[in-house]
Amino acid sequence: MIFLYVISTLIAAFVAVCASFIFPQVITLVQNSDVRSAPDGIAQILKNLLINAVSNPVAAIANANYIVILTWAVIFGISMKKIAGENTKNFFAEISEGISDVVRGIITLAPFGILGLVFESVSTNGLGIFKNYGKLILVLVGSMLFMSLVVSPLIVAIFLRKNPYPLVLRCLKESGITAFFTRSSAANIPVNMELCKKLGLDEEMYAVSIPLGATINMDGAAITITVMTLAAANTLGIACDVPSAFVLCILSTLAACGTSGIAGGSLLLIPLACSLFGISADVSMQVVAVGFIIGVIQDSMETALNSSSDVLFTATAEYYSWKKQGKKLPEKF
């Protein structure tokens, strides 16, 4: 099940890269001239990653160097796991919940900021920017539909050797539609649990896999992070070769696995991926702002893909184990 979660997210990032290469997008930014630190190729990208991994973590926080912050967070987390007691774990859990509450508040107030950004962009660049936003939405939604209707069914078919579309369509109908309107994978967990029960799955299995999937199974988030990052790179004139795109796929997969299950959570990981190409925090946050502008459509489709695939891959993993044990799969899903 975890393998299906991770491999599907990686494939989703690859689909997004292919879509961005075929239909390159450009975003209208207020500030779009900061390309001084743009890497020349994969060699410089890997060198920057290695150098950043051992940079000063305090300076990284002050300068919003997300790669360094992520690296030291992983190191610090591994060390704390070895020595931390229950009280320490509870303390950090409460700190995490407090930060999440602040993020929810910021996202709640985001429409006011978006209104100002839209006004500034339209007054500066005219109504033509909405054409660019429309093209960007088409690339995002098209990639997500391709993932949900082509790639995910293909993965299910490979494992079960059976027509996957009855199961895929039921997951989209009973989970995806609800997630589309709630825009929260976490809020859709009870719906997914009920659907797993209807599918006859083992409760001990889906009671773990569904909450886990709401955290790490983020195909739509990987697509959003990848497309928006490559759009920013195109806007700034930064070339992205195939090896660099492969590194971006891996980074987007890891970032997507860390996406919060709240509305607009994936947008907050875009600066992390942008830093791979040396894009400054000021510019990458403008890309995040664009994401909030199109978020009504983008985030709804993203959550529908994320949440419906939680049930889809949970069912696939369990039905695959049934098949190996010689049990008969359901005739109808």
Side-chain angles (χ1 to χ4, degrees):
M1 177 198 66
I2 294 176
F3 172 78
L4 290 174
Y5 281 169
V6 175
I7 197 66
S8 67
T9 305
L10 180 61
I11 293 175
F14 177 75
V15 168
V17 166
C18 293
S20 296
F21 280 5
I22 297 172
F23 306 104
Q25 299 300 307
V26 175
I27 301 175
T28 301
L29 301 174
V30 176
Q31 172 188 351
N32 60 1
S33 60
D34 189 358
V35 294
R36 291 172 297 174
S37 57
D40 296 328
I42 184 62
Q44 187 174 350
I45 287 177
L46 294 177
K47 179 181 178 181
N48 290 342
L49 286 175
L50 181 60
I51 294 175
N52 284 340
V54 294
S55 297
N56 187 324
V58 177
I61 295 174
N63 298 322
N65 193 330
Y66 299 99
I67 295 293
V68 185
I69 295 172
L70 180 63
T71 301
W72 282 102
V74 171
I75 295 173
F76 184 72
I78 293 173
S79 299
M80 291 299 295
K81 183 176 176 61
K82 295 179 180 178
I83 63 176
E86 286 300 321
N87 292 334
T88 304
K89 292 178 181 178
N90 292 335
F91 170 76
F92 278 105
E94 292 170 355
I95 292 293
S96 176
E97 182 58 33
I99 294 174
S100 297
D101 187 63
V102 172
V103 172
R104 293 188 190 98
I106 294 173
I107 291 177
T108 301
L109 296 174
F112 297 101
I114 292 170
L115 181 63
L117 289 169
V118 172
F119 175 79
E120 182 177 5
S121 297
V122 173
S123 61
T124 304
N125 303 286
L127 295 175
I129 62 169
F130 290 109
K131 182 179 179 181
N132 292 336
Y133 291 159
K135 292 179 179 179
L136 183 61
I137 291 174
L138 287 177
V139 172
L140 287 166
V141 172
S143 299
M144 293 175 190
L145 288 175
F146 183 80
M147 188 68 197
S148 61
L149 297 177
V150 178
V151 177
S152 293
L154 181 60
I155 294 174
V156 175
I158 291 173
F159 278 84
L160 300 184
R161 304 292 181 179
K162 187 176 182 179
N163 180 13
Y165 283 99
L167 178 60
V168 170
L169 294 178
R170 183 169 184 184
C171 290
L172 289 173
K173 177 183 177 182
E174 298 192 27
S175 174
I177 292 177
T178 307
F180 181 89
F181 290 103
T182 62
R183 294 173 60 190
S184 172
S185 298
N188 211 48
I189 288 176
V191 176
N192 285 349
M193 300 274 275
E194 183 63 26
L195 178 55
C196 288
K197 184 177 180 180
K198 293 179 182 178
L199 293 173
L201 305 182
D202 184 4
E203 184 175 0
E204 292 186 357
M205 176 75 166
Y206 68 73
V208 176
S209 66
I210 294 301
L212 181 64
T215 303
I216 69 170
N217 182 38
M218 294 288 179
D219 298 356
I223 290 173
T224 297
I225 294 169
T226 303
V227 170
M228 297 297 285
T229 300
L230 289 178
N234 289 334
T235 302
L236 299 174
I238 301 174
C240 179
D241 53 18
V242 174
S244 300
F246 178 73
V247 175
L248 176 61
C249 287
I250 297 176
L251 183 60
S252 297
T253 300
L254 296 175
C257 289
T259 300
S260 174
I262 60 177
S266 63
L267 299 177
L268 304 180
L269 276 301
I270 291 174
L272 172 63
C274 284
S275 66
L276 181 69
F277 295 98
I279 299 174
S280 68
D282 292 340
V283 175
S284 62
M285 288 310 298
Q286 291 183 51
V287 180
V288 174
V290 172
F292 277 117
I293 292 173
I294 64 175
V296 174
I297 299 175
Q298 166 267 324
D299 196 41
S300 297
M301 289 294 299
E302 174 186 314
T303 308
L305 172 58
N306 292 341
S307 193
S308 62
S309 62
D310 292 347
V311 181
L312 179 65
F313 292 132
T314 294
T316 300
E318 184 158 346
Y319 290 152
Y320 179 70
S321 68
W322 288 12
K323 187 176 179 181
K324 291 183 68 175
Q325 296 170 14
K327 295 181 180 180
K328 188 177 180 181
L329 298 181
E331 293 294 332
K332 294 183 179 181
F333 296 114

